Amino acid sequence: MTTIGIHDLSLATAHHVVDLAELAEDAGVDPAKYHVGLGQDRMSVPAADEDIVTMGAEAALPLLERHGTDGIRTLLFATESGVDQSKSAGLFVHELLGLPHTMRVVEFKQACYGATAALQSALGFVARNPEERVLVISSDVARYQLESAGEPTQGAGAVAMLVAADPALLAIEPISGVAARDVDDFWRPNDSTTAVVDGRLSLSAYLGALTTAWDDFTAAGGVGIDEIDRFCFHQPFTKMARKALAGLAQHTGTTLPDELQEATFAYNRELGNTYTASLYAGLASLLDHDDDLAGTRIGLFSYGSGAVGEFFTGIVQPGYRQRRRRESIEARIAGRVRLELPAYRELHGAEHPSDTEWEAPSVTAGPFRFAGIRDRARRYEATQLDAAQPPGRRD
Ligand code: HMG
């Protein structure tokens, strides 16, 4: 039987970084609350000329450089930080990367769950035509009000995945367990740049969706808990995944030590919450940091507030270690430029309404930038590439 799954994946983040130790000190909070209590060290913050489009395009660029564009007929862009109510952010990325005109491009939204919906759809496209490959891009900027409990759980980043038959990284197994319930735990009204959140409720809604999805996974014929070798959970902050594994252990009456997921935390501790990219940043970290994964089964749990959950599994492919990106990701993370708190707060409060012409300052060192707003439309440009010859250009 043909396997289908993640053939390659790539991670990008924003230009700036805020150190949570500084934020804690400024707020008069014990830094251990953030480092240990939440399990977070730093958070990425986009520069004025960055957003989900620039991060998403940056994440996808290495995939196209490595694999070309042959067979790519679909780009699925998952985000809950949409830049337009109508147009898919994927279309800006499509142009920046010079992808073929013979493609379907669409945006997926359901809080942090969107990328998993996109991944499952991609698996379906490839099942119908195994010659096709689908580009799935998840990209988000997590923003809460300044001085709120959610502030240290902000972040920014993007993960791009190439979904194909006979994948080199992770073959996704067909059985999923799903959960949906209308809950007001977290949402972002159309007129707000920051999320509204009921922190306590969000934790219990996450854990409730996990057990519902697990029970559905079992009822659908999924493997037993003792047949899963590693776990990778959505990480709004890494401590949440520890709570999730403990909750699943209790629910299934088993012992599930944290070593089964420890390797998933390295990137998210640095990036902060990347919403829909967070689960897949955890997967990237696991693949980059655990040497004994070949042939093992990973259990993945995707959660999106509001609330939807999905538990599914994948088998790590034998050659996964040849496709590691640890050095380049660590360099990207280490290369972020530290933001002093006053500058971070100024950036946080900046708004650029669509009816005002605005030229963004040149700040980002990334390959793409948000150039500003002209004629009410968002403008993007490549900074390092020959704009006439982006990697996938077809005409
Ligand atoms: P809070 O009230 O500031 O923190 O909000 P707390 O008092 O609950 O403390 C947090 C932890 O730090 C606790 O650990 C404390 O004990 C510990 P726990 O008991 O829970 O294991 N602590 C310390 N540890 C060491 N040394 C110390 C110390 N002091 C305290 N000195 C909260 C925390 C997460 C609620 C807040 O940050 C928040 O509202 N964040 C945003 C919401 C969120 O991330 N929810 C997660 C589940 S929902 C989800 O995942 C979906 C989401 O990604 C969005 C989407 O789907 O689109 C958010």
Side-chain angles (χ1 to χ4, degrees):
M1 201 182 79
T2 311
T3 57
I4 307 173
I6 302 170
H7 186 57
D8 200 355
L9 94 178
S10 167
L11 186 150
T13 189
H15 181 73
H16 288 301
V17 61
V18 166
D19 195 320
L20 292 188
E22 277 180 51
L23 195 66
E25 194 185 335
D26 193 69
V29 169
D30 180 353
K33 175 174 177 182
Y34 297 164
H35 293 312
V36 182
L38 296 176
Q40 292 301 123
D41 296 328
R42 275 162 284 277
M43 59 188 190
S44 289
V45 177
D49 57 348
E50 293 180 317
D51 65 10
I52 53 160
V53 170
T54 60
M55 290 190 298
E58 182 181 335
L61 182 62
L63 299 186
L64 300 180
E65 286 172 344
R66 289 200 282 271
H67 306 285
T69 60
D70 284 356
I72 299 182
R73 291 173 54 77
T74 304
L75 190 172
L76 306 178
F77 195 105
T79 189
E80 58 176 299
S81 322
V83 293
D84 193 276
Q85 291 283 26
S86 174
K87 181 174 176 178
S88 165
L91 280 162
F92 296 114
V93 172
H94 176 268
E95 179 59 25
L96 285 171
L97 296 174
L99 287 165
H101 291 303
T102 47
M103 282 186 65
R104 60 173 75 83
V105 178
V106 71
E107 187 166 306
F108 279 61
K109 179 185 73 177
Q110 176 28 59
C112 300
Y113 171 73
T116 301
L119 173 62
Q120 291 292 356
S121 305
L123 297 171
F125 283 123
V126 179
R128 279 173 68 99
N129 183 358
E131 302 301 309
E132 285 193 25
R133 299 181 300 163
V134 178
L135 186 56
V136 174
I137 300 175
S138 52
S139 184
D140 264 312
V141 180
R143 282 166 58 90
Y144 297 93
Q145 279 188 353
L146 296 178
E147 297 177 18
S148 69
E151 186 180 16
T153 65
Q154 297 177 117
V159 173
M161 299 181 268
L162 193 62
V163 175
D166 296 322
L169 288 183
L170 189 72
I172 307 288
E173 296 187 289
I175 296 176
S176 268
V178 288
R181 191 183 298 271
D182 184 359
V183 190
D184 287 340
D185 65 327
F186 166 109
W187 67 101
R188 185 168 65 83
N190 281 343
D191 57 357
S192 177
T193 57
T194 52
V196 182
V197 62
D198 179 336
R200 298 287 119 222
L201 181 61
S202 76
L203 266 62
S204 61
Y206 178 124
L207 296 173
L210 172 59
T211 51
T212 303
W214 172 262
D215 290 344
D216 187 54
F217 177 77
T218 304
V223 297
I225 194 83
D226 53 350
E227 293 171 85
I228 299 175
D229 305 297
R230 299 284 189 282
F231 290 86
C232 184
F233 294 108
H234 168 54
Q235 295 168 17
F237 50 95
T238 63
K239 177 76 162 291
M240 187 70 225
R242 296 188 194 278
K243 291 178 188 291
L245 192 64
L248 191 58
Q250 189 182 28
H251 186 67
T252 54
T254 43
T255 304
L256 299 172
D258 263 337
E259 294 84 74
L260 299 181
Q261 65 166 344
E262 203 66 44
T264 66
F265 297 147
Y267 299 149
N268 282 323
R269 284 190 73 95
E270 287 286 337
L271 304 178
N273 194 353
T274 56
Y275 287 161
T276 193
S278 150
L279 171 63
Y280 301 97
L283 176 63
S285 175
L286 175 62
L287 295 172
D288 280 354
H289 291 83
D290 190 326
D291 289 339
D292 298 315
L293 289 178
T296 61
R297 177 177 283 115
I298 301 177
L300 299 106
F301 177 64
S302 178
Y303 176 74
S305 283
V308 169
E310 179 160 348
F311 190 93
F312 60 106
T313 55
I315 306 291
V316 180
Q317 299 302 289
Y320 81 100
R321 287 172 62 179
Q322 274 95 62
R323 291 184 172 252
R324 285 177 153 175
R325 310 283 168 229
R326 183 169 167 175
E327 267 177 39
S328 60
I329 293 176
E330 284 177 351
R332 182 70 182 78
I333 286 172
R336 290 173 299 176
V337 175
R338 182 172 152 263
L339 262 187
E340 306 271 356
L341 294 183
Y344 146 70
R345 288 179 183 131
E346 193 180 323
L347 206 48
H348 192 282
E351 287 187 22
H352 303 291
S354 70
D355 60 357
T356 309
E357 300 275 305
W358 183 66
E359 197 176 323
S362 283
V363 181
T364 181
F368 304 102
R369 64 184 294 273
F370 170 42
I373 298 165
R374 206 166 52 245
D375 301 329
R376 297 212 66 179
R378 295 176 81 85
R379 309 291 170 183
Y380 293 91
E381 57 192 28
T383 57
Q384 294 161 15
L385 303 164
D386 175 354
Q389 286 294 322
R393 195 83 251 173
R394 69 281 151 181
D395 56 14

